């Protein structure tokens, strides 16, 4: 199965419906991070070079009860207008009238942006009537919303199905994400090191098990490391442990052993006597005494992890090594980004918090690929066929 690409379609003069992921953080009407908008530009520009009949659609956040003005895509429309040097017309009400009727009222130098898809209950319900209102009358359906491709929502799933397979395709961001992540799951250059961290083993178990099929080393940090250490019989004080998930850890160790994957656990920590930003950082080597909790990996672990990372040809990282949001406990996480920046090979980062961490580190530009899809990239790496991607296959 192969992806149908936007370049495979003859778009000249045609009417195009484009699903984007313009779900950017907005505070008091100001966009905080434009990454998702700039990543959408290559596809938008490609289309506009061939046709002016374009409707763009995206969700924004998780609006409740039909949404409020704070959930409006209006600031995104204004930004797009500036970047595209065209008038971007935001249509708030397109569920009663079909979007194509609205598009037909526009002039040549105007493009259409639909208001937040999630203002309509039909979006998350994958409602077919709503899907008809979205895409009826269009010649082509392009999906470039990788970050939403794991959700079978109307604009991703039901709407795509209303056009025949030869009329739908993947945009450039979708292609870039799929290429980068596919290389991680199939045939990564060895040594391949996976770095897992973050909050819970139970959240990441499927990704870990799938990546154990191809990796040579797995470095475990973050809160999840304490469940691993506890399983090994090492005292972890009051660190966060998923006591009821020991069976998962056992499965991971068993699979790692049979696949000859080396699992590396932290040997020292930065601890605190309470879960608070203001708590003093106390270095601990080996077992953690009662009353202390591990909030970051220590300097010896940082060195050992960096050594493995620097010798790798492929590195995938998901999950911070500590509470990186607090400066005192962020060094471990930053040291991973720094070591990855030195790798002569492929480096891929996925996961919402990991992506903010790599941006915070200042080494983002040194990575081969930083995924724009948090949940979507992890589900992809679990080996799942994501519903939005499945519909873009030839
Ligand atoms: P991602 O979003 O990249 O997949 P997660 O959501 O799994 O990552 O985990 C990120 C969260 O884990 C962060 O908010 C971080 O503060 C927290 N975390 C990391 N290490 C620890 C720890 N030792 N104790 C408590 N929380 C931790
Ligand atoms: Mg997260």
């Amino acid at each position: 199965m192969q992806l149908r690409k936007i370049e495979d379609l003859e778009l000249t003069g045609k009417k195009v419906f484009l699903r984007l992921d313009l779900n950017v953080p907005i505070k008091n009407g100001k966009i905080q991070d434009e990454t998702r908008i700039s990543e959408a530009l290559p596809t938008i520009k490609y289309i506009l070079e061939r046709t002016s009949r374009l409707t763009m659609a995206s969700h924004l956040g998780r609006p409740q009860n039909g949404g409020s003005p704070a959930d409006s895509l209006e600031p995104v429309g204004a930004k797009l207008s500036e970047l595209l040097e065209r008038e971007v017309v935001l249509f708030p009400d397109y569920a009663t009238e079909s979007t194509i009727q609205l598009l037909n009222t526009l002039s040549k130098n105007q493009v259409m942006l639909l208001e937040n898809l999630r203002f309509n209950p039909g979006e998350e319900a994958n409602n077919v009537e709503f899907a008809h209102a979205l895409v009826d009358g269009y010649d082509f359906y392009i999906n470039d919303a990788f970050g939403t491709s794991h959700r079978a929502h109307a604009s991703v799933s039901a709407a795509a199905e209303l056009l025949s397979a030869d009329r739908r395709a993947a945009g450039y961001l979708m292609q870039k994400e799929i290429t980068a992540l596919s290389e991680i799951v199939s045939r990564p250059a060895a040594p391949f090191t996976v770095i897992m961290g973050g909050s819970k083993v139970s959240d990441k178990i499927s990704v870990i098990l799938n990546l154990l099929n191809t990796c040579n080393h797995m470095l475990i940090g973050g809160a999840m490391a304490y469940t691993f250490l506890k399983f090994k019989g090492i005292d972890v004080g009051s660190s966060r442990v998923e006591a009821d998930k020991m069976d998962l850890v056992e499965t991971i160790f068993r699979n790692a052993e049979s696949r000859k994957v080396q699992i590396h656990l932290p040997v020292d920590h930065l601890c605190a006597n309470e879960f608070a930003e203001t708590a003093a950082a106390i270095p601990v080597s080996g077992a953690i005494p009662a009353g202390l909790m591990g909030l970051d990996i220590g300097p010896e672990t940082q060195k050992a992890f960096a050594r493995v990372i620097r010798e790798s040809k492929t590195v995938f990282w998901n999950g911070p090594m500590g509470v990186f949001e607090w400066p005192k406990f962020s060094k471990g996480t930053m040291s991973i980004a720094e070591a990855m920046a030195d790798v002569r090979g492929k480096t891929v980062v996925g996961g919402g918090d990991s992506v903010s961490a790599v941006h915070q580190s200042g080494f983002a530009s040194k990575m081969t690929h930083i995924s724009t899809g948090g949940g979507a990239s992890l589900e992809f790496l679990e080996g799942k066929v994501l519903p939005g991607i499945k519909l873009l296959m030839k």
Side-chain angles (χ1 to χ4, degrees):
M1 289 258 273
Q2 258 198 330
L3 209 56
R4 190 181 309 276
K5 299 175 176 169
I6 186 170
E7 311 92 289
D8 297 338
L9 307 180
E10 182 43 71
L11 298 179
T12 313
K14 300 290 190 196
K15 293 174 184 172
V16 177
F17 183 94
L18 172 62
R19 179 37 159 123
L20 295 166
D21 181 0
L22 301 173
N23 182 22
V24 292
I26 297 178
K27 229 188 227 164
N28 303 323
K30 270 201 73 177
I31 298 169
Q32 306 294 304
D33 178 355
E34 289 176 16
T35 311
R36 283 182 163 156
I37 298 177
S38 44
E39 294 276 4
L41 286 181
T43 297
I44 301 174
K45 286 186 173 161
Y46 180 90
I47 296 168
L48 289 178
E49 277 161 19
R50 287 157 180 82
T51 179
S52 59
R53 321 302 288 150
L54 171 65
T55 294
M56 300 177 283
S58 173
H59 71 284
L60 181 74
R62 292 166 191 249
Q64 303 297 316
N65 310 320
S68 68
D71 302 310
S72 172
L73 275 172
E74 199 275 325
V76 175
K79 188 79 222 172
L80 279 173
S81 181
E82 184 189 314
L83 294 167
L84 299 171
E85 296 174 349
R86 292 203 186 210
E87 193 183 336
V88 175
V89 182
L90 183 74
F91 273 115
D93 181 17
Y94 50 88
T96 43
E97 241 176 318
S98 67
T99 75
I100 199 78
Q101 281 170 303
L102 297 166
L103 183 69
N104 288 338
T105 66
L106 297 189
S107 67
K108 269 205 139 104
N109 54 2
Q110 294 177 311
V111 287
M112 181 151 109
L113 174 66
L114 304 183
E115 181 54 286
N116 194 344
L117 288 163
R118 289 191 186 165
F119 284 180
N120 306 282
E123 169 64 359
E124 292 185 62
N126 202 19
N127 178 282
V128 177
E129 256 167 75
F130 179 58
H132 274 292
L134 287 178
V135 297
D136 275 359
Y138 286 87
D139 299 302
F140 294 108
Y141 167 93
I142 314 273
N143 190 346
D144 210 21
F146 176 76
T148 325
S149 56
H150 59 317
R151 309 235 184 257
H153 291 171
S155 62
V156 173
S157 180
E161 284 186 285
L162 292 175
L163 286 94
S164 56
D166 58 339
R167 287 165 179 268
R168 43 194 203 223
Y172 287 115
L173 176 60
M174 184 70 98
Q175 295 178 32
K176 186 167 93 172
E177 291 275 7
I178 293 173
T179 305
L181 296 173
S182 301
E183 284 171 3
I184 292 294
V185 272
S186 59
R187 286 181 274 113
F192 172 28
T193 297
V194 171
I195 309 149
M196 294 298 297
S199 33
K200 293 181 183 165
V201 193
S202 47
D203 281 354
K204 310 278 173 78
I205 179 75
S206 311
V207 184
I208 295 176
L209 289 177
N210 198 38
L211 293 176
L212 280 176
N213 288 319
T214 46
C215 76
N216 307 97
H217 295 276
M218 192 169 278
L219 314 180
I220 310 266
M224 75 161 72
Y226 300 104
T227 305
F228 281 78
L229 290 167
K230 180 94 188 174
F231 175 84
K232 287 259 176 190
I234 297 166
D235 285 334
V236 296
S238 52
S239 304
R240 212 180 267 182
V241 167
E242 289 177 274
D244 57 337
K245 295 292 164 5
M246 292 300 165
D247 54 328
L248 297 185
V249 176
E250 192 183 352
T251 309
I252 291 169
F253 275 120
R254 205 170 345 102
N255 285 19
E257 197 181 2
S258 68
R259 286 166 194 153
K260 305 212 163 24
V261 178
Q262 229 178 308
I263 293 197
H264 306 253
L265 297 176
V267 292
D268 62 345
H269 318 270
L270 277 191
C271 298
N273 57 11
E274 57 172 336
F275 190 76
E277 185 167 3
T278 48
I282 304 163
V284 170
S285 203
I288 299 174
L292 289 185
M293 62 180 80
L295 295 183
D296 196 8
I297 55 172
E300 284 310 312
T301 308
Q302 291 173 29
K303 262 188 251 162
F305 282 11
R307 220 174 293 131
V308 178
I309 292 168
R310 289 200 169 93
E311 282 167 13
S312 303
K313 288 267 183 333
T314 311
V315 180
F316 172 71
W317 177 25
N318 166 259
M321 297 290 103
V323 186
F324 76 100
E325 298 92 336
W326 299 342
K328 272 182 233 169
F329 302 99
S330 66
K331 283 198 197 72
T333 302
M334 299 306 134
S335 74
I336 297 291
E338 191 177 354
M340 281 176 74
D342 288 342
V343 169
R344 267 189 247 135
K346 223 158 249 156
T347 46
V348 178
V349 185
D353 294 293
S354 317
V355 170
S356 358
V358 77
H359 283 295
Q360 190 178 313
S361 76
F363 292 105
S365 65
K366 302 273 188 188
M367 305 298 156
T368 311
H369 183 72
I370 298 176
S371 180
T372 55
S377 50
L378 293 188
E379 285 195 30
F380 189 95
L381 294 173
E382 286 175 18
K384 280 192 197 158
V385 180
L386 306 185
I389 296 177
K390 196 168 123 193
L391 290 167
L392 306 175
M393 296 296 184
K394 278 186 193 171

